[in-house]
Amino acid sequence: MLKSMVRAVGAAVRLSSASSTSTARALPLCCPTLCSPSSATTRPFTRSLWMLNGNGASSGYQPKLFSSKALSPSMSCGCGGLHTEGDKAFGVFLSDELTEEKKIQKSKSLPKMSGGWDLEMSGTEAKLTRTVAGEKITVTFNVNNSIPPSFEEEAAEQGQQKSAAAEEEPEIVSTPNFVVEVTKQAAKHNLVFDCHFPEDEMSHGEGEEESDIFAIREVSFQPEGDTDWKETSYTLNTDSLDWALYDHLMDFLADRGVDNTFADELMELSTAVEHQEYIKFLEDLQGFVKCN
């Protein structure tokens, strides 16, 4: 009799367990019931928006994902941006950097070009124009990517040769490529020179013969009024050019005011413009980080 009762109780327990397991496995298929917080199968980021933000959870467990302070960034202003400790440290660095850059800024006004050149600025692009005996000479350059790269090995070698007291950071000089366009009233096309500052011509030792500090890379005739260089127009590359012809081209530019003196002043102007734009970029970056 006792054995019969034990078997009956055991059967009842097995039946109850099976019923419970079947119900639990069927729930995800028939209704969006959430698992308990202690469940190992909980995946809060795959739950529906209705369950996360509404009152539809039949288990009574309602994780407030959208209102959690741990997941919401702290706001210090009304800009709606993210503010972190890293941003704060970034802002301090930018403030110090701006202070140092403004200390070494020679002047807030741009240097003047001799020779009657008129300057027109458009962001990082500069245009210089002058008129000589009916000819219009236009020189354009952009200060972007105009700072030559510095090499750590060369800086280290120079540092070893100098004494500790005389060591100073090298001065940053902007050496942009520039385009010279010569326009004649009776001509249908403009003569255009693509010029640059070769690194090996930037400095000369004592006793060395002075040479041109800039060079002509390409020469081409371009339609008047076109701002883009037409690839269909014949372009003369000076790499394999006869030196006599090249010298005449350089003299042609010098007669129109584009010589070593002009190139020196252009570098000074470009360096000032580049530094102004760098300071302005730092100010804009500081404002963006601080969300002012």
Side-chain angles (χ1 to χ4, degrees):
M1 180 68 177
L2 181 60
K3 292 182 179 180
S4 299
M5 291 180 63
V6 172
R7 284 196 296 269
V9 171
V13 171
R14 287 194 296 271
L15 181 60
S16 176
S17 299
S19 175
S20 176
T21 303
S22 175
T23 303
R25 292 178 179 175
L27 282 175
L29 300 177
C30 64
C31 65
T33 302
L34 289 176
C35 300
S36 64
S38 60
S39 173
T41 59
T42 303
R43 297 186 181 182
F45 296 106
T46 60
R47 294 170 182 168
S48 67
L49 298 179
W50 172 78
M51 287 187 292
L52 294 172
N53 203 35
N55 298 320
S58 60
S59 65
Y61 172 62
Q62 301 176 11
K64 298 180 180 179
L65 181 63
F66 295 147
S67 60
S68 172
K69 294 182 179 180
L71 297 178
S72 298
S74 58
M75 301 295 179
S76 61
C77 68
C79 69
L82 179 67
H83 297 275
T84 66
E85 289 299 321
D87 293 345
K88 184 178 179 180
F90 195 7
V92 173
F93 168 80
L94 289 172
S95 180
D96 294 340
E97 184 76 1
L98 275 168
T99 300
E100 293 301 320
E101 291 297 327
K102 289 180 179 180
K103 282 182 181 178
I104 64 176
Q105 188 177 18
K106 295 180 180 179
S107 175
K108 291 185 178 180
S109 60
L110 298 176
K112 300 293 184 180
M113 297 284 294
S114 62
W117 293 92
D118 295 325
L119 174 63
E120 181 182 344
M121 292 298 306
S122 177
T124 59
E125 185 177 86
K127 179 185 289 186
L128 296 165
T129 56
R130 73 188 295 241
T131 302
V132 179
E135 290 185 6
K136 181 180 179 182
I137 300 93
T138 304
V139 179
T140 56
F141 65 91
N142 197 311
V143 300
N144 283 335
N145 303 314
S146 64
I147 303 297
S150 59
F151 299 97
E152 295 182 0
E153 294 181 1
E154 294 180 2
E157 292 177 0
Q158 293 176 0
Q160 293 175 357
Q161 296 174 359
K162 296 180 180 179
S163 63
E167 282 185 358
E168 293 182 358
E169 292 185 2
E171 184 179 359
I172 295 177
V173 178
S174 172
T175 56
N177 299 335
F178 60 96
V179 175
V180 182
E181 184 177 1
V182 180
T183 304
K184 289 191 174 185
Q185 296 179 354
K188 297 181 180 179
H189 295 80
N190 299 336
L191 187 59
V192 182
F193 299 79
D194 181 12
C195 304
H196 68 116
F197 292 95
E199 293 184 10
D200 56 349
E201 298 293 340
M202 292 305 299
S203 61
H204 302 280
E206 294 183 1
E208 292 185 9
E209 183 180 355
E210 183 181 358
S211 60
D212 297 312
I213 63 175
F214 73 97
I216 302 171
R217 181 186 285 118
E218 293 178 339
V219 186
S220 177
F221 280 106
Q222 297 292 326
E224 184 179 358
D226 286 1
T227 57
D228 296 329
W229 189 289
K230 287 190 175 296
E231 298 295 337
T232 54
S233 298
Y234 179 78
T235 300
L236 179 66
N237 192 300
T238 60
D239 289 341
S240 57
L241 191 64
D242 179 81
W243 278 108
L245 176 56
Y246 181 85
D247 287 342
H248 280 295
L249 291 172
M250 291 294 292
D251 291 341
F252 180 87
L253 289 178
D255 291 340
R256 285 152 181 82
V258 182
D259 51 11
N260 276 355
T261 300
F262 172 85
D264 272 328
E265 294 180 353
L266 186 144
M267 283 193 295
E268 184 180 356
L269 173 61
S270 180
T271 301
V273 173
E274 199 279 337
H275 198 201
Q276 276 191 358
E277 291 297 320
Y278 178 61
I279 291 176
K280 182 178 182 299
F281 175 81
L282 291 180
E283 291 173 341
D284 292 342
L285 184 58
Q286 183 186 45
F288 189 87
V289 171
K290 290 185 175 181
C291 201
N292 292 338

